[in-house]
Every structure is written in C-alpha cells, then in structure tokens.
Amino acid sequence: MTARWTPIRVTADGEASTVDWCRTDGVAFDDPFLDQSIEGALRQPARLLFRRRTPLADLLQPAPEGALPIAGVVLHLSRCGSTLLTRLLGDLPEVLALSEPGILDTVLRLPAEQLGIVEADRPALVRGALAALARPDEGEQRCIVKLDAWAALQLPVLRQALPEVPWVFLCRDAVEVLVSHRGHRGYHVVPGTLDPALLGVDPWREAPGDLDAYGAAVLGRIAASVEAVGDDEGRGIVVDHTQLPAAVERVARHFGLAADDATRSRWAARAAVDAKNPVLEHVDDRATKQAAADDHLRAAAARWVDGPVRSLQQRAGLTVTR
Amino acid sequence: MTTDALDAFTAVVLADGALHDRLLAEPDRRRAVALLVAAAVDLGFDVTEADVTGAVAAARREWLERWV
C-alpha cells in the first residue's frame, strides 16, 4: 500500500499557520463533498490520532512529484447542479474528483495576513494546496476540482494559479437559487460570513435586514465576476442547470476527458438520484421553486442578480428574455 | 500512562510506515483501539485502552470544533 497523505485543515494563525494531514490511502473520495469523506476516514482511530502538522508556508514550495494534473475546475452559482456534475465527472475511472475541499476554501477566502502570506503569494499557495490534494490512490490519472460558490469571486487568482486549466461555471435561474437558499441558506448568503472586501460591495448596508436581498447581491457578485472574465481565451465555458445531465459530455470534452459506454451507464444511474443524498430519487424542482417565489424575492433577484445570470445563460446557449 | 507515552508512541508510528499501515488496516473501531494498545505495549510504552479512547475522544472533539 502506498501512503497517501491528504491535507485536511488549515489553521490560520498568521506566520504560524499550519496544515493538518491525515492518511487517506484506501479512502474513496466518493461522497458528495470531500470533507464528508475525510469525516468518515477519521472514524478510524489510527487515522485520527496519527496525523501530521506542517507549516502552511511549506505549500509555497514546489510540490513533490506525483500530483495528478488538474483537468478542470468546476465553479458555480450554488444550488445549480454542480455536485451532480462533479460526481458524474468522478465516475470516469481515470478521474479523482475533489468536491469543495475545505483547505482550498481557506487559502482562497481568508485575508493574506491571516494566512501569513503576502497577497502575491496566494496563487502559488492555491497551486500548492491543490497539488497536495491531487494525489492518486486507485490509479487515477487526472484530477478535477469543484470549488465553493464564492470561489468564483477569486477567479483572477485561480487563473493565475492554474493558467492553462479549463473551467466551467454552472448557473441557474436566480429565482430558483434564491428560493433554495430560503429553505436552507448556504454559507455565502448569510451576512457576516464573506468579507465585504471580497464581495466588493456590502449589501447588508444597502438592504439591512433583508436576507433575500443579501443573497441576491452575493449571487450577483459571483455571476458578475465570471461574466467579467469572459471566456478566458476558450478556457471558460458556462452550463445552465437546465442543460444537465446531458451537458456532462460537453464539460468532459472541454476538460480533455472521454466517456465510454460503461461510464454513460453509470451516469444514467447517477442522474436518477439526488446528488447530495443518493438514497433519494432526483426530482425536477424548477416549477416548484418558481411557484414558491414571492414578489419580494423576485424584486431582489431583478435588482441584484438577474442581469449577470441571464448574460451567462446566453453564453451557455440558452435563449433568455430580459 | 502519561500523555507523554502516547505522544512518544505517536512519533514512533509516524516514523514507521509499516507499523502505521498495520494500525490503519483494521476497520473495526474497537479492534483498532485494541490493536493500537497492543502495538504500543509491545514497543514498551505504558499505554492503556482508556488512554487511547480518551485521546480519540479528545481528537474527535477538537476536529468537530474546528469551525468554532
């Protein structure tokens, strides 16, 4: 057995920042999110007790040999099929799919001084963290990584870190996304979580007490960040929620990956169940979400997010009305 | 046993890949703890099952509270 050490946590403490590592050989990263697989691995006492801790700054050094090449990056608006897409890509036998690794969020989101780096080092830190995560265990040859929704705000950093790597941005009608967040708000649409400096605006000041407006503003900033980059000389494509699961073929090709019939059979089975809770059947909830949207939510969407999302949907090939 | 004994055993495990592999190979949690205690005692460390389960509980709590 070859030992695979995976970075599982960054403790940000300025120049004393550290990375925790645990052995993950024999652990399939096949849960909807990587941290769920880590959580499961740490139930084994020897994995939990016998961990390593290294300085975060070590990730700025050239990565040791053996990291998988990064085939593509999945970015998204949230609640729009990115977990399904990532799991479908992970069904390709040669692919290691990393879904929202916590340490990548930390190195992308926290202020440089908290991480003990200078801002100019952030792309190298992202590259080092990804190289540390992208270690094969079962013969994988390529790695794809899905990031948290707010990582799109750092798209310029990602492009510096991974200048040749293709990416996809998944979007969805903003009203449906906002209705989903009303039911179970994601981290990024809760005021006080994301640094206003990262957002470039402070929507809580503009619409104090209005959670729908805050969420719409954050989603609008995410969508606008992607729109501003354009197609990144062909490296960036946009897929709409309505184009899944069929669009996985297009994304796979964009990432230089090819599916065979066996993989397509797995994809059909995967798409029939809920991506985040596979014991449940997949339900197309678009009509339900549209019906649940009230005038207040629609007004928030119209003010903050509909414009950039519709532009992105057009890039995805949809015919949209403004 | 002291925390020092478990810390010293941890250092030995991290330096000995074969021992680490052997301790990781047991999927059952209770048997994994017993294996770990036996390995520590074999190497001369004064480590008991209560020490290990206590350390596991503390590490687990520290992990779960990482966002707090």
Side-chain angles (χ1 to χ4, degrees):
Chain A
M1 182 162 59
T2 304
R4 176 174 67 174
W5 287 90
T6 297
I8 59 172
R9 172 173 60 172
V10 169
T11 301
D13 186 18
E15 290 181 1
S17 296
T18 55
V19 182
D20 277 12
W21 304 70
C22 86
R23 284 274 298 270
T24 60
D25 31 292
V27 177
F29 293 161
D30 59 1
D31 291 295
F33 299 97
L34 177 65
D35 285 359
Q36 292 174 316
S37 298
I38 300 296
E39 189 75 32
L42 291 177
R43 292 193 190 110
Q44 211 281 359
R47 288 191 206 282
L48 181 65
L49 291 180
F50 305 128
R51 290 182 280 161
R52 292 186 191 280
R53 181 166 287 182
T54 59
L56 178 65
D58 286 2
L59 293 181
L60 291 169
Q61 304 304 316
E65 302 256 320
L68 295 170
I70 307 301
V73 175
V74 177
L75 302 167
H76 56 98
L77 193 61
S78 68
R79 312 296 166 88
C80 53
S82 60
T83 304
L84 171 64
L85 176 66
T86 303
R87 301 197 80 184
L88 294 172
L89 293 169
D91 283 334
L92 290 157
E94 74 270 32
V95 169
L96 175 70
L98 304 172
S99 183
E100 300 187 1
I103 76 154
L104 275 181
D105 168 45
T106 304
V107 301
L108 275 166
R109 180 172 49 82
L110 289 192
E113 59 270 25
Q114 276 191 38
L115 296 168
I117 60 169
V118 294
E119 191 58 43
D121 282 341
R122 194 185 297 272
L125 187 61
V126 169
R127 197 161 45 242
L130 195 43
L133 286 160
R135 298 280 154 176
D137 189 44
E138 298 288 344
E140 300 94 339
Q141 295 166 9
R142 315 280 298 279
C143 177
I144 65 118
V145 60
K146 172 197 167 193
L147 300 173
D148 294 283
W150 53 94
L153 297 166
Q154 291 281 47
L155 193 46
V157 172
L158 288 167
R159 292 168 70 220
Q160 284 182 60
L162 308 166
E164 305 302 324
V165 174
W167 51 272
V168 60
F169 182 78
L170 276 153
C171 63
R172 180 177 186 176
D173 182 289
V175 165
E176 294 168 18
V177 176
L178 287 168
V179 167
S180 175
H181 281 297
R182 260 193 181 175
H184 183 168
R185 292 189 190 276
Y187 174 86
H188 54 303
V189 297
V190 175
T193 52
L194 296 183
D195 185 348
L198 189 61
L199 288 171
V201 293
D202 188 353
W204 200 237
R205 281 180 177 235
E206 297 197 38
D210 187 339
L211 288 170
D212 289 331
Y214 184 87
V218 171
L219 299 181
R221 291 298 303 157
I222 290 170
S225 298
V226 177
E227 193 185 13
V229 170
D231 80 346
D232 193 13
E233 299 179 349
R235 283 184 284 275
I237 61 171
V238 180
V239 167
D240 185 75
H241 172 260
T242 56
Q243 297 170 317
L244 290 173
V248 66
E249 293 267 8
R250 178 175 162 227
V251 176
R253 278 198 305 277
H254 184 60
F255 287 177
L257 305 166
D260 58 15
D261 287 343
T263 298
R264 290 191 183 92
S265 295
R266 287 194 290 276
W267 284 352
R270 178 80 74 190
V273 298
D274 188 283
K276 291 176 182 166
N277 190 354
V279 301
L280 301 178
E281 188 179 335
H282 168 71
V283 175
D284 182 347
D285 61 359
R286 286 174 288 172
T288 308
K289 285 194 162 47
Q290 289 290 345
D294 56 26
D295 290 345
H296 176 77
L297 185 142
R298 289 185 185 280
R303 176 179 177 197
W304 293 100
V305 61
D306 277 346
V309 164
R310 287 177 180 165
S311 292
L312 291 168
Q313 287 178 312
Q314 284 183 322
R315 273 179 53 190
L318 297 193
T319 302
V320 293
T321 53
R322 289 179 177 268
Chain B
M1 179 311 275
T2 63
T3 304
D4 290 349
L6 198 52
D7 288 348
F9 178 58
T10 297
V12 169
V13 173
L14 291 176
D16 183 342
L19 174 59
H20 201 173
D21 287 349
R22 192 159 62 82
L23 298 175
L24 287 171
E26 175 53 64
D28 179 82
R29 190 174 180 281
R30 191 172 297 172
R31 285 200 294 266
V33 169
L35 181 65
L36 206 150
V37 173
V41 170
D42 279 353
L43 288 168
F45 294 101
D46 180 17
V47 170
T48 66
E49 182 176 331
D51 299 328
V52 173
T53 54
V56 167
R60 183 105 195 114
R61 176 178 298 171
E62 190 264 347
W63 172 253
L64 291 174
E65 292 178 350
R66 66 195 183 280
W67 303 119
V68 176

